[in-house]
Every structure is written in structure tokens, then in C-alpha cells.
Amino acid sequence: MSAHQVFAPLTKGCPVFKISQPITVLREPQQFYKQLIHGIKHAQRHICLSSLYIGSEETELVAELKNALARNTKLQVRVLLDCLRGTRTDSAGMSSAALLAPLVQQFGEERVQVFMYHTPALSGLSKQAWPQRYNETFGLQHIKAYIFDDDVIISGANLSRDYFTNRQDRYMRISDPQFSDYFVRLVSTIGQFSFRVLNGDQATGYKLEMADGVADPTRDPREFVREANELMAQFLHRAEIEHAVEAGSISEHDTLAIPTVQMRQLGITQDESHMREFFELVHAFARNYKSRSLMASAYFNFSDQYKRSVLDSASRWDLLVASPQANGFYTAQGISQYIPDMYSIIEHEFAHMARARNDISIEEYMRDGWTFHGKGVWSYLNQPLPQLTMIGSPNYGYRSIYRDLEAQVTVVPGNTQLQKDIHQEALGLLAHSKIVSQDELKQRTRGSPLWLRGLKPFVMKKM
């Protein structure tokens, strides 16, 4: 049975794209940055950037956007960021919004649109009570997709200096006009229920406005959810109809790209259902054949349902996460410095639950001077090369399912070269990783303060 047959149920209820052009698997942050700059310089029709935030130090990237807009009067730019993170200021008072507002002023809203999505879970007095950084635990715009005409770079990486230098993530460039149009429309749809960045306030350098007739999530969250759900449901329904495929029309030589989104705060659970179906298909296959899969996340904070799916699966599973030293919070100050220890506690508890299985392993990424932010799935079934990969923004934790806006793409390769490229990507990550045992994790967490364990429910649902 071919992988296309095994995973055929994943094509139901989702748009499916047959990709005819070669897919490029990028391996290093520097390659990612070069592709971003190349895309900005060569785009003729539109540039569309969806990220959590743009680092306030990324003046070169913004300058390239400015130059591209000045060279080509037909070029349009859309940027989608999270409102809470995108308006957070650094020590110099700069933010993503302040960095981009001059583009809106210079080239006008007709050509430059900057959207800031705001969670409906933080409104009224609670919004005023929670300080910057901590307010982001309520929910974020977390989708990472970078579109330049017909090219789409799917990633989990944000647009800041560490993601371009020494913060390891995943990056895949897919070239297809219909696939690109899907993501442009996704960003535009979210933009319809997001704040727009306009030139204005002298203190901040910008002002935020909701589109006319759209409820403000900070004032009327219930109506906002109703309106946002309606817009997203219409978008997803249209995409499913326009890009549906019959199972019989799929050949094992077709490379399939299946995008899914998750926005549970808005009543959208497409990716959650997709993941549930995937785990069931892998389990059913593994009951008759040997099977193995690799699942990666920046943090060992997998949701309870995903951990249970791994533990109950007949397949072999390898889990790849950041070591404490490769965790982005390792050098943090204040209470955040204890977050890597908390993940080790959660990791040890899972290792204890999996102690009766010799086919479930935990590997930690450790590379001197680097942090790890990779996420995704590689499913080999019973073959030496991957038969499927998932790539995108979800970390597969509680907040990926319940709090944030997420998008990932399931790719079923239709040729050996792409399978080899995806396999080499996985091997490259594992080359900087090592398996950790239950005893090692027990020793690591032995000296953890008791109060830290008391914070576990908060970390599991908020981080």
C-alpha cells in the first residue's frame, strides 16, 4: 500500500494542492534570510508576510521592502502580525508596528497593509491589568508564511535576527500559484478582523484602527468571535470546494500539499481534526506493518491528546525537543529562567509514562551557541525515506490547539528526490541531538524547587 493510499483520508475536508514544481527544503537560518531578501527584491505583484512579530532591529529587511515598493509601483505588500507582540516595545521604545508604520505613510494603504490580530481572550479590565509579555499568554497570531508572488516559504520562524543566525527552525519553499493564492487569501481574511496599523500617534509613531463594521475584540469579544468565525468559515469552505480532489485522481507520483489552520478561540478546529486523523492512520498502519515517525517541537509541552496518541500508538515514535541549553528561555531573567527546568519536569513525567515502551525515545537538540525552534512531523511508515512531513507554526502544545492562530502544511512527496531532501533535513537536526533517558531526566530535575512543580499547569497551558 502506497503512502498516498494510507494518507488519502487526510485529503478530505481540506484544500489539496498538487505541486508540480520542485519543493526546496532549506536547512539553515542564513538560507532562510537570503530567500526572504531574494523574494522581496524579485517580487513583481505582491509580498505577503505572516509572522508573530518583526524584530525591531530588522531595519535592513524593512529597507528592502521600502526599496521594492519604490522600484515597482504595482507591488502590494501585506503584513500580518500579532497585536500584543507587535506593539511590545524594546528598551529604545521601538516595536514592529512603529517599524512598519512609515511604509504605510509613504506608500499609502492601497499598497501597504499592516494587520495586527488581537485575541478576544484579553479584553476590558484584564487587558489593562496584564503587563506586556505576560499578556501574550492569552493567545497570539502565530502563523508563519512568507509569500512572494507564486512562492511560499512555510516555516515556524519569526522575522528577527536570531531566527536568521543561530535559532534553528524549519523552512520549505513551495512554488505554485494556487497554493500561494490560498495563503494570500488566508492572510487577507484574518486581516479583515484585525487592527490596521496607520500613521498617527506622535508618541508611538502609529495608531491602530479596526475596519468599519467589525467588532473590537478588546471591547466586544463575543461579537468579535462570531464575526471572525463567520469570515474564516466562509474562507475555508470556499478553499475546500475550489481545491477538492477525488481520491481516485491522486497518483503516487503526485506531490500533495494540504494546508490546515487552527483557531479554536474563533471556533475553527481544522488542524486539530487533521492531526487526530493522522495519528489514527499511523496507528492503523502500524498494527500490520513496522512503522516509525519523528515529531519535533521547540518545547516538550505536547498536549495531553498528542502525548496519549503517541503512547497508545502501535508505531515507533521519536520525539525531538530543545535541550535546556537550546531553549530560548535558558538565558532569560526573572521567573522565565526556570521555564527550561519546567519543561524537563514535564519531559521526565512523560518518560516515566513511556517506560514500558522500548520504541518511544526522546531526543534533545544541543548545539553550542544555538537555540532550537523546530517543529513538525516526519512519518516514514515502513520505508527508509519519509512518506509524509508536516511543517508550520504549531508546537503541538495546549496553546497551539486552544489559544493561538496556527497553520501548517502536510506534504506527501511524489518523488524520491523530495523524500531524500526531507530525510536529510531530519538527519541534520538529529545530528545535533542525543537521546535522553528517564534516569538522566530524573537526575536533572531532582533539585528543582517544589514551587516550580506547582506552576506546571500554568506553563502547560500558557507557554
Side-chain angles (χ1 to χ4, degrees), residues 11 13-18 176-186 189 233-246 249 257 259 270:
T11 64
C14 300
V16 180
F17 299 87
K18 294 182 180 181
D176 182 89
Q178 292 186 327
F179 184 75
S180 169
D181 181 65
Y182 168 89
F183 274 96
V184 170
R185 286 201 278 171
L186 172 62
T189 301
Q234 290 174 353
F235 164 77
L236 292 174
H237 180 67
R238 176 181 173 183
E240 179 187 346
I241 292 176
E242 290 182 350
H243 304 291
V245 296
E246 296 293 334
S249 69
Q270 184 186 49

PDB file of all heavy atoms in Angstrom, residues 11 13-18 176-186 189 233-246 249 257 259 270:
ATOM      1  N   THR A  11      -6.957  14.046   2.893  1.00  0.00           N
ATOM      2  CA  THR A  11      -7.350  14.995   1.852  1.00  0.00           C
ATOM      3  C   THR A  11      -8.816  15.396   1.963  1.00  0.00           C
ATOM      4  O   THR A  11      -9.257  16.311   1.258  1.00  0.00           O
ATOM      5  CB  THR A  11      -7.108  14.397   0.452  1.00  0.00           C
ATOM      6  OG1 THR A  11      -7.957  13.244   0.273  1.00  0.00           O
ATOM      7  CG2 THR A  11      -5.650  13.974   0.285  1.00  0.00           C
ATOM      8  N   GLY A  13     -12.041  17.134   3.499  1.00  0.00           N
ATOM      9  CA  GLY A  13     -12.354  18.279   4.348  1.00  0.00           C
ATOM     10  C   GLY A  13     -11.296  19.360   4.331  1.00  0.00           C
ATOM     11  O   GLY A  13     -11.349  20.291   5.140  1.00  0.00           O
ATOM     12  N   CYS A  14     -10.318  19.258   3.431  1.00  0.00           N
ATOM     13  CA  CYS A  14      -9.233  20.245   3.346  1.00  0.00           C
ATOM     14  C   CYS A  14      -8.958  20.570   1.889  1.00  0.00           C
ATOM     15  O   CYS A  14      -9.174  19.731   1.011  1.00  0.00           O
ATOM     16  CB  CYS A  14      -7.945  19.703   3.978  1.00  0.00           C
ATOM     17  SG  CYS A  14      -8.047  19.273   5.716  1.00  0.00           S
ATOM     18  N   PRO A  15      -8.447  21.743   1.607  1.00  0.00           N
ATOM     19  CA  PRO A  15      -7.971  22.008   0.248  1.00  0.00           C
ATOM     20  C   PRO A  15      -6.713  21.178  -0.009  1.00  0.00           C
ATOM     21  O   PRO A  15      -5.898  20.973   0.893  1.00  0.00           O
ATOM     22  CB  PRO A  15      -7.663  23.505   0.258  1.00  0.00           C
ATOM     23  CG  PRO A  15      -7.391  23.827   1.692  1.00  0.00           C
ATOM     24  CD  PRO A  15      -8.273  22.906   2.486  1.00  0.00           C
ATOM     25  N   VAL A  16      -6.564  20.687  -1.235  1.00  0.00           N
ATOM     26  CA  VAL A  16      -5.408  19.862  -1.597  1.00  0.00           C
ATOM     27  C   VAL A  16      -4.790  20.437  -2.864  1.00  0.00           C
ATOM     28  O   VAL A  16      -5.499  20.706  -3.841  1.00  0.00           O
ATOM     29  CB  VAL A  16      -5.815  18.391  -1.827  1.00  0.00           C
ATOM     30  CG1 VAL A  16      -4.592  17.555  -2.190  1.00  0.00           C
ATOM     31  CG2 VAL A  16      -6.512  17.821  -0.589  1.00  0.00           C
ATOM     32  N   PHE A  17      -3.476  20.607  -2.846  1.00  0.00           N
ATOM     33  CA  PHE A  17      -2.772  21.174  -3.989  1.00  0.00           C
ATOM     34  C   PHE A  17      -1.762  20.167  -4.513  1.00  0.00           C
ATOM     35  O   PHE A  17      -0.955  19.620  -3.743  1.00  0.00           O
ATOM     36  CB  PHE A  17      -2.055  22.463  -3.586  1.00  0.00           C
ATOM     37  CG  PHE A  17      -2.979  23.538  -3.088  1.00  0.00           C
ATOM     38  CD1 PHE A  17      -3.340  23.589  -1.751  1.00  0.00           C
ATOM     39  CD2 PHE A  17      -3.503  24.480  -3.966  1.00  0.00           C
ATOM     40  CE1 PHE A  17      -4.200  24.563  -1.283  1.00  0.00           C
ATOM     41  CE2 PHE A  17      -4.373  25.460  -3.501  1.00  0.00           C
ATOM     42  CZ  PHE A  17      -4.721  25.501  -2.155  1.00  0.00           C
ATOM     43  N   LYS A  18      -1.821  19.894  -5.819  1.00  0.00           N
ATOM     44  CA  LYS A  18      -0.820  19.057  -6.468  1.00  0.00           C
ATOM     45  C   LYS A  18       0.303  19.974  -6.943  1.00  0.00           C
ATOM     46  O   LYS A  18       0.088  20.837  -7.801  1.00  0.00           O
ATOM     47  CB  LYS A  18      -1.427  18.302  -7.646  1.00  0.00           C
ATOM     48  CG  LYS A  18      -2.485  17.273  -7.237  1.00  0.00           C
ATOM     49  CD  LYS A  18      -3.009  16.522  -8.459  1.00  0.00           C
ATOM     50  CE  LYS A  18      -4.056  15.483  -8.073  1.00  0.00           C
ATOM     51  NZ  LYS A  18      -4.569  14.732  -9.257  1.00  0.00           N
ATOM     52  N   ASP A 176       3.812  27.526  -6.383  1.00  0.00           N
ATOM     53  CA  ASP A 176       2.574  27.137  -7.057  1.00  0.00           C
ATOM     54  C   ASP A 176       1.598  28.314  -6.950  1.00  0.00           C
ATOM     55  O   ASP A 176       1.347  28.801  -5.833  1.00  0.00           O
ATOM     56  CB  ASP A 176       1.968  25.891  -6.401  1.00  0.00           C
ATOM     57  CG  ASP A 176       0.708  25.428  -7.098  1.00  0.00           C
ATOM     58  OD1 ASP A 176       0.807  24.628  -8.041  1.00  0.00           O
ATOM     59  OD2 ASP A 176      -0.385  25.870  -6.692  1.00  0.00           O
ATOM     60  N   PRO A 177       1.039  28.789  -8.048  1.00  0.00           N
ATOM     61  CA  PRO A 177       0.173  29.978  -7.988  1.00  0.00           C
ATOM     62  C   PRO A 177      -1.086  29.784  -7.150  1.00  0.00           C
ATOM     63  O   PRO A 177      -1.501  30.701  -6.430  1.00  0.00           O
ATOM     64  CB  PRO A 177      -0.162  30.245  -9.464  1.00  0.00           C
ATOM     65  CG  PRO A 177       0.137  28.971 -10.184  1.00  0.00           C
ATOM     66  CD  PRO A 177       1.253  28.325  -9.424  1.00  0.00           C
ATOM     67  N   GLN A 178      -1.707  28.613  -7.229  1.00  0.00           N
ATOM     68  CA  GLN A 178      -2.924  28.388  -6.450  1.00  0.00           C
ATOM     69  C   GLN A 178      -2.621  28.239  -4.960  1.00  0.00           C
ATOM     70  O   GLN A 178      -3.365  28.742  -4.104  1.00  0.00           O
ATOM     71  CB  GLN A 178      -3.654  27.148  -6.974  1.00  0.00           C
ATOM     72  CG  GLN A 178      -4.234  27.326  -8.366  1.00  0.00           C
ATOM     73  CD  GLN A 178      -5.075  26.139  -8.791  1.00  0.00           C
ATOM     74  OE1 GLN A 178      -4.807  25.002  -8.434  1.00  0.00           O
ATOM     75  NE2 GLN A 178      -6.122  26.404  -9.548  1.00  0.00           N
ATOM     76  N   PHE A 179      -1.528  27.565  -4.642  1.00  0.00           N
ATOM     77  CA  PHE A 179      -1.114  27.403  -3.251  1.00  0.00           C
ATOM     78  C   PHE A 179      -0.769  28.774  -2.660  1.00  0.00           C
ATOM     79  O   PHE A 179      -1.152  29.092  -1.523  1.00  0.00           O
ATOM     80  CB  PHE A 179       0.091  26.469  -3.194  1.00  0.00           C
ATOM     81  CG  PHE A 179       0.557  26.131  -1.806  1.00  0.00           C
ATOM     82  CD1 PHE A 179      -0.151  25.241  -1.017  1.00  0.00           C
ATOM     83  CD2 PHE A 179       1.725  26.694  -1.298  1.00  0.00           C
ATOM     84  CE1 PHE A 179       0.284  24.925   0.271  1.00  0.00           C
ATOM     85  CE2 PHE A 179       2.173  26.378  -0.031  1.00  0.00           C
ATOM     86  CZ  PHE A 179       1.449  25.483   0.765  1.00  0.00           C
ATOM     87  N   SER A 180      -0.068  29.586  -3.424  1.00  0.00           N
ATOM     88  CA  SER A 180       0.267  30.932  -2.983  1.00  0.00           C
ATOM     89  C   SER A 180      -0.986  31.761  -2.760  1.00  0.00           C
ATOM     90  O   SER A 180      -1.117  32.479  -1.746  1.00  0.00           O
ATOM     91  CB  SER A 180       1.163  31.610  -4.023  1.00  0.00           C
ATOM     92  OG  SER A 180       1.304  32.983  -3.754  1.00  0.00           O
ATOM     93  N   ASP A 181      -1.929  31.657  -3.689  1.00  0.00           N
ATOM     94  CA  ASP A 181      -3.176  32.421  -3.572  1.00  0.00           C
ATOM     95  C   ASP A 181      -3.945  32.026  -2.320  1.00  0.00           C
ATOM     96  O   ASP A 181      -4.573  32.887  -1.674  1.00  0.00           O
ATOM     97  CB  ASP A 181      -4.035  32.197  -4.816  1.00  0.00           C
ATOM     98  CG  ASP A 181      -5.329  32.981  -4.781  1.00  0.00           C
ATOM     99  OD1 ASP A 181      -5.260  34.224  -4.806  1.00  0.00           O
ATOM    100  OD2 ASP A 181      -6.409  32.355  -4.711  1.00  0.00           O
ATOM    101  N   TYR A 182      -3.900  30.751  -1.959  1.00  0.00           N
ATOM    102  CA  TYR A 182      -4.572  30.295  -0.739  1.00  0.00           C
ATOM    103  C   TYR A 182      -4.035  31.067   0.475  1.00  0.00           C
ATOM    104  O   TYR A 182      -4.811  31.573   1.303  1.00  0.00           O
ATOM    105  CB  TYR A 182      -4.364  28.792  -0.533  1.00  0.00           C
ATOM    106  CG  TYR A 182      -4.780  28.303   0.842  1.00  0.00           C
ATOM    107  CD1 TYR A 182      -6.082  27.889   1.093  1.00  0.00           C
ATOM    108  CD2 TYR A 182      -3.864  28.287   1.890  1.00  0.00           C
ATOM    109  CE1 TYR A 182      -6.473  27.462   2.355  1.00  0.00           C
ATOM    110  CE2 TYR A 182      -4.242  27.859   3.165  1.00  0.00           C
ATOM    111  CZ  TYR A 182      -5.537  27.443   3.392  1.00  0.00           C
ATOM    112  OH  TYR A 182      -5.913  27.031   4.647  1.00  0.00           O
ATOM    113  N   PHE A 183      -2.718  31.174   0.606  1.00  0.00           N
ATOM    114  CA  PHE A 183      -2.148  31.835   1.777  1.00  0.00           C
ATOM    115  C   PHE A 183      -2.334  33.339   1.744  1.00  0.00           C
ATOM    116  O   PHE A 183      -2.511  33.975   2.792  1.00  0.00           O
ATOM    117  CB  PHE A 183      -0.672  31.451   1.942  1.00  0.00           C
ATOM    118  CG  PHE A 183      -0.489  30.179   2.701  1.00  0.00           C
ATOM    119  CD1 PHE A 183      -0.326  28.980   2.030  1.00  0.00           C
ATOM    120  CD2 PHE A 183      -0.528  30.167   4.083  1.00  0.00           C
ATOM    121  CE1 PHE A 183      -0.184  27.788   2.734  1.00  0.00           C
ATOM    122  CE2 PHE A 183      -0.389  28.993   4.798  1.00  0.00           C
ATOM    123  CZ  PHE A 183      -0.221  27.791   4.128  1.00  0.00           C
ATOM    124  N   VAL A 184      -2.313  33.939   0.555  1.00  0.00           N
ATOM    125  CA  VAL A 184      -2.605  35.370   0.459  1.00  0.00           C
ATOM    126  C   VAL A 184      -4.033  35.633   0.925  1.00  0.00           C
ATOM    127  O   VAL A 184      -4.297  36.583   1.681  1.00  0.00           O
ATOM    128  CB  VAL A 184      -2.402  35.867  -0.982  1.00  0.00           C
ATOM    129  CG1 VAL A 184      -2.945  37.297  -1.133  1.00  0.00           C
ATOM    130  CG2 VAL A 184      -0.927  35.829  -1.355  1.00  0.00           C
ATOM    131  N   ARG A 185      -4.956  34.790   0.511  1.00  0.00           N
ATOM    132  CA  ARG A 185      -6.346  34.960   0.926  1.00  0.00           C
ATOM    133  C   ARG A 185      -6.542  34.669   2.415  1.00  0.00           C
ATOM    134  O   ARG A 185      -7.380  35.298   3.072  1.00  0.00           O
ATOM    135  CB  ARG A 185      -7.258  34.089   0.072  1.00  0.00           C
ATOM    136  CG  ARG A 185      -7.444  34.624  -1.344  1.00  0.00           C
ATOM    137  CD  ARG A 185      -8.688  34.079  -2.007  1.00  0.00           C
ATOM    138  NE  ARG A 185      -8.459  32.751  -2.565  1.00  0.00           N
ATOM    139  CZ  ARG A 185      -9.412  31.972  -3.049  1.00  0.00           C
ATOM    140  NH1 ARG A 185     -10.677  32.367  -2.999  1.00  0.00           N
ATOM    141  NH2 ARG A 185      -9.125  30.788  -3.556  1.00  0.00           N
ATOM    142  N   LEU A 186      -5.773  33.719   2.940  1.00  0.00           N
ATOM    143  CA  LEU A 186      -5.840  33.446   4.371  1.00  0.00           C
ATOM    144  C   LEU A 186      -5.425  34.683   5.165  1.00  0.00           C
ATOM    145  O   LEU A 186      -6.112  35.102   6.111  1.00  0.00           O
ATOM    146  CB  LEU A 186      -4.940  32.264   4.734  1.00  0.00           C
ATOM    147  CG  LEU A 186      -4.752  31.972   6.233  1.00  0.00           C
ATOM    148  CD1 LEU A 186      -6.080  31.622   6.892  1.00  0.00           C
ATOM    149  CD2 LEU A 186      -3.732  30.856   6.436  1.00  0.00           C
ATOM    150  N   THR A 189      -8.029  37.404   4.845  1.00  0.00           N
ATOM    151  CA  THR A 189      -9.227  37.114   5.637  1.00  0.00           C
ATOM    152  C   THR A 189      -8.993  37.451   7.097  1.00  0.00           C
ATOM    153  O   THR A 189      -9.844  38.084   7.749  1.00  0.00           O
ATOM    154  CB  THR A 189      -9.632  35.636   5.488  1.00  0.00           C
ATOM    155  OG1 THR A 189      -9.894  35.351   4.112  1.00  0.00           O
ATOM    156  CG2 THR A 189     -10.884  35.336   6.303  1.00  0.00           C
ATOM    157  N   ALA A 233     -14.922  30.653   8.387  1.00  0.00           N
ATOM    158  CA  ALA A 233     -15.685  29.505   7.897  1.00  0.00           C
ATOM    159  C   ALA A 233     -15.971  29.653   6.406  1.00  0.00           C
ATOM    160  O   ALA A 233     -15.895  28.676   5.642  1.00  0.00           O
ATOM    161  CB  ALA A 233     -16.989  29.361   8.687  1.00  0.00           C
ATOM    162  N   GLN A 234     -16.290  30.865   5.970  1.00  0.00           N
ATOM    163  CA  GLN A 234     -16.531  31.115   4.547  1.00  0.00           C
ATOM    164  C   GLN A 234     -15.254  30.883   3.742  1.00  0.00           C
ATOM    165  O   GLN A 234     -15.293  30.261   2.672  1.00  0.00           O
ATOM    166  CB  GLN A 234     -17.036  32.548   4.351  1.00  0.00           C
ATOM    167  CG  GLN A 234     -18.445  32.797   4.870  1.00  0.00           C
ATOM    168  CD  GLN A 234     -18.838  34.262   4.784  1.00  0.00           C
ATOM    169  OE1 GLN A 234     -18.017  35.136   4.462  1.00  0.00           O
ATOM    170  NE2 GLN A 234     -20.100  34.554   5.089  1.00  0.00           N
ATOM    171  N   PHE A 235     -14.134  31.374   4.253  1.00  0.00           N
ATOM    172  CA  PHE A 235     -12.859  31.190   3.560  1.00  0.00           C
ATOM    173  C   PHE A 235     -12.514  29.705   3.425  1.00  0.00           C
ATOM    174  O   PHE A 235     -12.141  29.233   2.336  1.00  0.00           O
ATOM    175  CB  PHE A 235     -11.745  31.913   4.306  1.00  0.00           C
ATOM    176  CG  PHE A 235     -10.359  31.475   3.891  1.00  0.00           C
ATOM    177  CD1 PHE A 235      -9.803  31.915   2.698  1.00  0.00           C
ATOM    178  CD2 PHE A 235      -9.631  30.593   4.678  1.00  0.00           C
ATOM    179  CE1 PHE A 235      -8.545  31.494   2.302  1.00  0.00           C
ATOM    180  CE2 PHE A 235      -8.374  30.171   4.295  1.00  0.00           C
ATOM    181  CZ  PHE A 235      -7.828  30.620   3.105  1.00  0.00           C
ATOM    182  N   LEU A 236     -12.616  28.961   4.513  1.00  0.00           N
ATOM    183  CA  LEU A 236     -12.247  27.541   4.495  1.00  0.00           C
ATOM    184  C   LEU A 236     -13.188  26.728   3.613  1.00  0.00           C
ATOM    185  O   LEU A 236     -12.755  25.814   2.906  1.00  0.00           O
ATOM    186  CB  LEU A 236     -12.246  26.981   5.923  1.00  0.00           C
ATOM    187  CG  LEU A 236     -11.148  27.529   6.837  1.00  0.00           C
ATOM    188  CD1 LEU A 236     -11.345  27.024   8.267  1.00  0.00           C
ATOM    189  CD2 LEU A 236      -9.766  27.147   6.324  1.00  0.00           C
ATOM    190  N   HIS A 237     -14.475  27.062   3.650  1.00  0.00           N
ATOM    191  CA  HIS A 237     -15.451  26.344   2.822  1.00  0.00           C
ATOM    192  C   HIS A 237     -15.158  26.570   1.342  1.00  0.00           C
ATOM    193  O   HIS A 237     -15.168  25.620   0.539  1.00  0.00           O
ATOM    194  CB  HIS A 237     -16.864  26.806   3.174  1.00  0.00           C
ATOM    195  CG  HIS A 237     -17.944  26.130   2.373  1.00  0.00           C
ATOM    196  ND1 HIS A 237     -18.231  24.784   2.495  1.00  0.00           N
ATOM    197  CD2 HIS A 237     -18.786  26.611   1.424  1.00  0.00           C
ATOM    198  CE1 HIS A 237     -19.208  24.462   1.673  1.00  0.00           C
ATOM    199  NE2 HIS A 237     -19.558  25.551   1.007  1.00  0.00           N
ATOM    200  N   ARG A 238     -14.883  27.806   1.003  1.00  0.00           N
ATOM    201  CA  ARG A 238     -14.586  28.117  -0.400  1.00  0.00           C
ATOM    202  C   ARG A 238     -13.298  27.414  -0.845  1.00  0.00           C
ATOM    203  O   ARG A 238     -13.236  26.843  -1.945  1.00  0.00           O
ATOM    204  CB  ARG A 238     -14.437  29.623  -0.564  1.00  0.00           C
ATOM    205  CG  ARG A 238     -14.042  30.061  -1.972  1.00  0.00           C
ATOM    206  CD  ARG A 238     -13.884  31.575  -2.061  1.00  0.00           C
ATOM    207  NE  ARG A 238     -13.358  31.992  -3.361  1.00  0.00           N
ATOM    208  CZ  ARG A 238     -13.069  33.237  -3.689  1.00  0.00           C
ATOM    209  NH1 ARG A 238     -13.264  34.199  -2.804  1.00  0.00           N
ATOM    210  NH2 ARG A 238     -12.599  33.528  -4.887  1.00  0.00           N
ATOM    211  N   ALA A 239     -12.262  27.437   0.015  1.00  0.00           N
ATOM    212  CA  ALA A 239     -10.991  26.797  -0.334  1.00  0.00           C
ATOM    213  C   ALA A 239     -11.165  25.297  -0.514  1.00  0.00           C
ATOM    214  O   ALA A 239     -10.579  24.689  -1.423  1.00  0.00           O
ATOM    215  CB  ALA A 239      -9.953  27.083   0.749  1.00  0.00           C
ATOM    216  N   GLU A 240     -11.963  24.683   0.360  1.00  0.00           N
ATOM    217  CA  GLU A 240     -12.188  23.236   0.259  1.00  0.00           C
ATOM    218  C   GLU A 240     -12.887  22.875  -1.049  1.00  0.00           C
ATOM    219  O   GLU A 240     -12.522  21.887  -1.717  1.00  0.00           O
ATOM    220  CB  GLU A 240     -13.023  22.768   1.449  1.00  0.00           C
ATOM    221  CG  GLU A 240     -13.328  21.288   1.430  1.00  0.00           C
ATOM    222  CD  GLU A 240     -14.292  20.866   2.522  1.00  0.00           C
ATOM    223  OE1 GLU A 240     -14.523  21.669   3.450  1.00  0.00           O
ATOM    224  OE2 GLU A 240     -14.831  19.743   2.449  1.00  0.00           O
ATOM    225  N   ILE A 241     -13.875  23.654  -1.426  1.00  0.00           N
ATOM    226  CA  ILE A 241     -14.613  23.378  -2.668  1.00  0.00           C
ATOM    227  C   ILE A 241     -13.727  23.606  -3.892  1.00  0.00           C
ATOM    228  O   ILE A 241     -13.682  22.777  -4.811  1.00  0.00           O
ATOM    229  CB  ILE A 241     -15.873  24.260  -2.739  1.00  0.00           C
ATOM    230  CG1 ILE A 241     -16.886  23.831  -1.665  1.00  0.00           C
ATOM    231  CG2 ILE A 241     -16.508  24.174  -4.130  1.00  0.00           C
ATOM    232  CD1 ILE A 241     -18.118  24.706  -1.598  1.00  0.00           C
ATOM    233  N   GLU A 242     -12.994  24.726  -3.907  1.00  0.00           N
ATOM    234  CA  GLU A 242     -12.185  25.065  -5.072  1.00  0.00           C
ATOM    235  C   GLU A 242     -11.012  24.113  -5.269  1.00  0.00           C
ATOM    236  O   GLU A 242     -10.560  23.908  -6.403  1.00  0.00           O
ATOM    237  CB  GLU A 242     -11.661  26.500  -4.937  1.00  0.00           C
ATOM    238  CG  GLU A 242     -12.733  27.562  -5.071  1.00  0.00           C
ATOM    239  CD  GLU A 242     -12.167  28.970  -4.969  1.00  0.00           C
ATOM    240  OE1 GLU A 242     -10.973  29.113  -4.603  1.00  0.00           O
ATOM    241  OE2 GLU A 242     -12.897  29.931  -5.254  1.00  0.00           O
ATOM    242  N   HIS A 243     -10.515  23.520  -4.183  1.00  0.00           N
ATOM    243  CA  HIS A 243      -9.304  22.700  -4.276  1.00  0.00           C
ATOM    244  C   HIS A 243      -9.524  21.287  -3.743  1.00  0.00           C
ATOM    245  O   HIS A 243      -8.614  20.675  -3.191  1.00  0.00           O
ATOM    246  CB  HIS A 243      -8.162  23.385  -3.528  1.00  0.00           C
ATOM    247  CG  HIS A 243      -7.882  24.779  -4.000  1.00  0.00           C
ATOM    248  ND1 HIS A 243      -7.339  25.042  -5.239  1.00  0.00           N
ATOM    249  CD2 HIS A 243      -8.118  25.984  -3.420  1.00  0.00           C
ATOM    250  CE1 HIS A 243      -7.223  26.354  -5.394  1.00  0.00           C
ATOM    251  NE2 HIS A 243      -7.689  26.944  -4.306  1.00  0.00           N
ATOM    252  N   ALA A 244     -10.735  20.786  -3.943  1.00  0.00           N
ATOM    253  CA  ALA A 244     -11.018  19.401  -3.569  1.00  0.00           C
ATOM    254  C   ALA A 244     -10.462  18.464  -4.642  1.00  0.00           C
ATOM    255  O   ALA A 244     -10.394  18.818  -5.818  1.00  0.00           O
ATOM    256  CB  ALA A 244     -12.523  19.200  -3.419  1.00  0.00           C
ATOM    257  N   VAL A 245     -10.043  17.273  -4.226  1.00  0.00           N
ATOM    258  CA  VAL A 245      -9.573  16.264  -5.181  1.00  0.00           C
ATOM    259  C   VAL A 245     -10.266  14.941  -4.883  1.00  0.00           C
ATOM    260  O   VAL A 245     -10.558  14.616  -3.735  1.00  0.00           O
ATOM    261  CB  VAL A 245      -8.041  16.068  -5.109  1.00  0.00           C
ATOM    262  CG1 VAL A 245      -7.312  17.326  -5.501  1.00  0.00           C
ATOM    263  CG2 VAL A 245      -7.610  15.605  -3.733  1.00  0.00           C
ATOM    264  N   GLU A 246     -10.545  14.208  -5.920  1.00  0.00           N
ATOM    265  CA  GLU A 246     -11.086  12.868  -5.766  1.00  0.00           C
ATOM    266  C   GLU A 246      -9.942  11.902  -5.476  1.00  0.00           C
ATOM    267  O   GLU A 246      -8.867  12.002  -6.086  1.00  0.00           O
ATOM    268  CB  GLU A 246     -11.825  12.436  -7.037  1.00  0.00           C
ATOM    269  CG  GLU A 246     -13.046  13.274  -7.359  1.00  0.00           C
ATOM    270  CD  GLU A 246     -14.152  13.096  -6.343  1.00  0.00           C
ATOM    271  OE1 GLU A 246     -14.200  12.013  -5.711  1.00  0.00           O
ATOM    272  OE2 GLU A 246     -14.961  14.022  -6.166  1.00  0.00           O
ATOM    273  N   SER A 249      -8.188  10.295  -8.274  1.00  0.00           N
ATOM    274  CA  SER A 249      -7.414  11.130  -9.204  1.00  0.00           C
ATOM    275  C   SER A 249      -5.990  11.363  -8.721  1.00  0.00           C
ATOM    276  O   SER A 249      -5.208  12.033  -9.400  1.00  0.00           O
ATOM    277  CB  SER A 249      -8.111  12.488  -9.384  1.00  0.00           C
ATOM    278  OG  SER A 249      -8.034  13.252  -8.198  1.00  0.00           O
ATOM    279  N   ALA A 257       0.251  18.996  -1.223  1.00  0.00           N
ATOM    280  CA  ALA A 257       0.401  19.957  -0.137  1.00  0.00           C
ATOM    281  C   ALA A 257      -0.989  20.263   0.411  1.00  0.00           C
ATOM    282  O   ALA A 257      -1.868  20.710  -0.335  1.00  0.00           O
ATOM    283  CB  ALA A 257       1.082  21.241  -0.618  1.00  0.00           C
ATOM    284  N   PRO A 259      -2.817  22.352   3.305  1.00  0.00           N
ATOM    285  CA  PRO A 259      -2.745  23.335   4.396  1.00  0.00           C
ATOM    286  C   PRO A 259      -3.921  23.190   5.361  1.00  0.00           C
ATOM    287  O   PRO A 259      -5.055  22.925   4.943  1.00  0.00           O
ATOM    288  CB  PRO A 259      -2.808  24.673   3.660  1.00  0.00           C
ATOM    289  CG  PRO A 259      -3.599  24.382   2.424  1.00  0.00           C
ATOM    290  CD  PRO A 259      -3.304  22.951   2.049  1.00  0.00           C
ATOM    291  N   GLN A 270      -9.839  22.915  12.350  1.00  0.00           N
ATOM    292  CA  GLN A 270      -9.466  22.097  11.195  1.00  0.00           C
ATOM    293  C   GLN A 270      -8.186  21.296  11.447  1.00  0.00           C
ATOM    294  O   GLN A 270      -8.131  20.087  11.199  1.00  0.00           O
ATOM    295  CB  GLN A 270      -9.282  22.994   9.965  1.00  0.00           C
ATOM    296  CG  GLN A 270      -8.986  22.233   8.688  1.00  0.00           C
ATOM    297  CD  GLN A 270      -8.675  23.171   7.528  1.00  0.00           C
ATOM    298  OE1 GLN A 270      -7.868  24.090   7.657  1.00  0.00           O
ATOM    299  NE2 GLN A 270      -9.340  22.968   6.404  1.00  0.00           N
TER     300      GLN A 270
END
